[in-house]
């Protein structure tokens, strides 16, 4: 079957993007040149009065610096403060900011002190997941607009508290689900919504990475001298310090994140909700475990991760069904859309199968073998193949126009909730029925207790 490569010209792409604006459920037009194409066009306030924002970064690790680098490149931020509990991250971030801007931001370990003293107009929250809720809520209440990384929360009720705090403070909160504005995702949504794939009855989202055998425990040790480990753990349980957790290993420790479904899953669950305009599933079930990595270890002397090494989740909507599957073992080129990228979403329709990918763009495989395969390449930025530039431009435009951003906090909450419901069902070992309007599991007190968790003193869980 021959493959026909689709290349949208500027006019076609903007038309598709403007159509996609209706899918995200926000006011205002998403498909502007400055927002979608990512150019640094003059502010709507007028080129002679372009506003610069006092900007602070909370969480100066790898991804936080990816975001801040795009903020600096946009030329609209004065970086006034950096915050991280790891002094090594602070030192590296400071050197980057000074080299790129000539600015010398103040350095903090406690974000509360930063918010009080520096009064930023924009706060970027790029910490581990368990810190997102408190930092976002406190930043909004301090008067800042917020760009918060996904997933927005560790538990579902934290997410609802974040939405409420955003609305009460009348702030713009953009969630880092940049695939909502990636060119091939926007045009792919236009293709799906046009009906060219037919009626979609089933969707399969997946992340299938290979790996080795049983996980070897890593000995615990004293935290590095520049790391405030107690503050790193914050409201979450305080485990002994272990290099498997920090830096960058926290996502597979369930005290601080929600495994692969909580990390990767939100991107693909978000694509499904975007396409369908649904807000939540009605029923959720999940199975999985650690048959390859082995039982988790945390005996006071050594640790392993404790997230499942594979998981299957099933989501039932009124008009279609969704499956999620991930695997951290048994990599297989037969299951990959390209050798270095076994991720994406398959939409199965009456006219064919549509794959929304990442590095490889999107591809449509017609049911009729006489029709050509259609494909559009991705348009991504380095490092790390992302579209933060476009999402940041949309963020600034939303602040200046008063509209809600493409990845508004409510949208991020719904996509995060979908992933967290899969984890909740896995922890319970059985299915649940979800009332998305009230955000409770129907007739299931055991499940409802998992919608939040106790915070470690003196931190207080955000209440509605």
């Amino acid at each position: 079957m021959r493959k026909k490569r689709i290349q949208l010209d500027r006019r076609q792409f903007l038309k598709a993007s403007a159509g996609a604006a209706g899918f995200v459920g926000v006011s205002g037009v998403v498909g502007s040149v400055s927002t979608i194409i990512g150019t640094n066009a003059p502010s709507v306030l007028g080129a002679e009065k372009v506003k610069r924002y006092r900007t602070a970064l909370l969480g100066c690790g790898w991804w936080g610096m990816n975001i801040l680098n795009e903020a600096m490149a946009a030329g609209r931020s004065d970086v006034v403060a950096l915050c991280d509990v790891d002094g090594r991250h602070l030192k590296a971030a400071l050197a980057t900011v000074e080299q790129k801007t000539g600015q010398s931001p103040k350095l903090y370990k406690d974000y509360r002190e930063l918010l009080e003293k520096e009064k930023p107009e924009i706060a970027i929250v790029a910490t581990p997941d368990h810190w997102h809720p408190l930092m976002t809520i406190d930043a909004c209440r301090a008067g800042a607009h917020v760009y918060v990384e996904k997933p927005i929360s560790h538990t579902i009720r934290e997410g609802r508290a974040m939405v409420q705090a955003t609305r009460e403070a009348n702030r713009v909160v953009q969630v880092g689900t940049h695939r909502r504005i990636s060119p091939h995702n926007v045009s792919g949504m236009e293709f799906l919504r046009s009906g060219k794939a037919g009626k979609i009855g089933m969707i399969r989202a997946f992340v299938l990475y290979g790996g080795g055998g049983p996980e070897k425990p890593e000995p615990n040790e004293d935290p590095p001298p520049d790391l405030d480990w107690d503050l790193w753990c914050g409201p979450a349980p305080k485990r002994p310090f272990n290099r498997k957790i920090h830096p960058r290993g926290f996502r597979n420790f369930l005290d601080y994140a929600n495994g692969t479904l909580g990390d990767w899953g939100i991107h693909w669950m978000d694509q499904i909700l975007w396409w369908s305009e649904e807000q939540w599933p009605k029923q959720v079930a999940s199975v999985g475990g650690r048959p390859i990595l082995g039982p988790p270890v945390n005996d006071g002397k050594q640790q392993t991760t404790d997230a499942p090494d594979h998981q299957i989740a099933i989501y039932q909507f009124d008009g279609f069904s969704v499956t999620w599957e991930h695997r951290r073992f048994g990599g297989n080129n037969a299951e990959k859309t390209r050798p270095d990228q076994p991720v994406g979403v398959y939409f199965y329709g009456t006219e064919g199968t549509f794959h929304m990918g990442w590095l490889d763009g999107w591809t449509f495989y017609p049911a009729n073998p006489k029709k050509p395969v259609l494909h559009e390449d991705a348009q991504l930025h380095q490092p790390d193949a992302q579209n933060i530039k476009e999402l940041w431009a949309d963020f600034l435009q939303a602040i200046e126009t008063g509209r809600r951003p493409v990845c508004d906090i409510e949208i991020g909450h719904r996509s995060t909730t979908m992933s967290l419901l899969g984890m909740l069902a896995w922890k319970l070992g059985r299915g649940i029925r979800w009332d998305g309007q009230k955000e409770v599991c129907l007739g299931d007190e055991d499940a409802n207790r998992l919608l939040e968790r106790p915070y470690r003193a003196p931190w207080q869980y955000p209440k509605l």
Side-chain angles (χ1 to χ4, degrees), residues 246-257:
H246 175 78
R248 292 182 63 171
F250 68 91
R251 292 201 180 280
N252 284 301
F253 287 83
L254 299 183
D255 284 334
Y256 312 116

Side-chain angles (χ1 to χ4, degrees), residues 78-96:
D78 291 321
V79 184
V80 297
L82 302 169
C83 180
D84 202 293
V85 297
D86 192 327
R88 298 167 297 181
H89 289 172
L90 276 177
K91 183 178 179 180
L94 176 62
T96 297

Side-chain angles (χ1 to χ4, degrees), residues 225-237:
D226 290 338
L227 173 64
D228 186 333
W229 183 241
D230 184 77
L231 195 53
W232 189 99
C233 295

Side-chain angles (χ1 to χ4, degrees), residues 310-327:
H310 78 284
Q311 187 175 0
I312 303 167
I314 302 171
Y315 300 85
Q316 187 62 57
F317 292 82
D318 282 338
F320 60 94
S321 302
V322 173
T323 64
W324 159 267
E325 49 183 291
H326 80 254
R327 189 174 64 243

Side-chain angles (χ1 to χ4, degrees), residues 10-21:
R10 181 183 179 88
R11 180 178 299 176
Q12 289 174 309
F13 178 64
L14 290 176
K15 181 179 178 181
S17 302

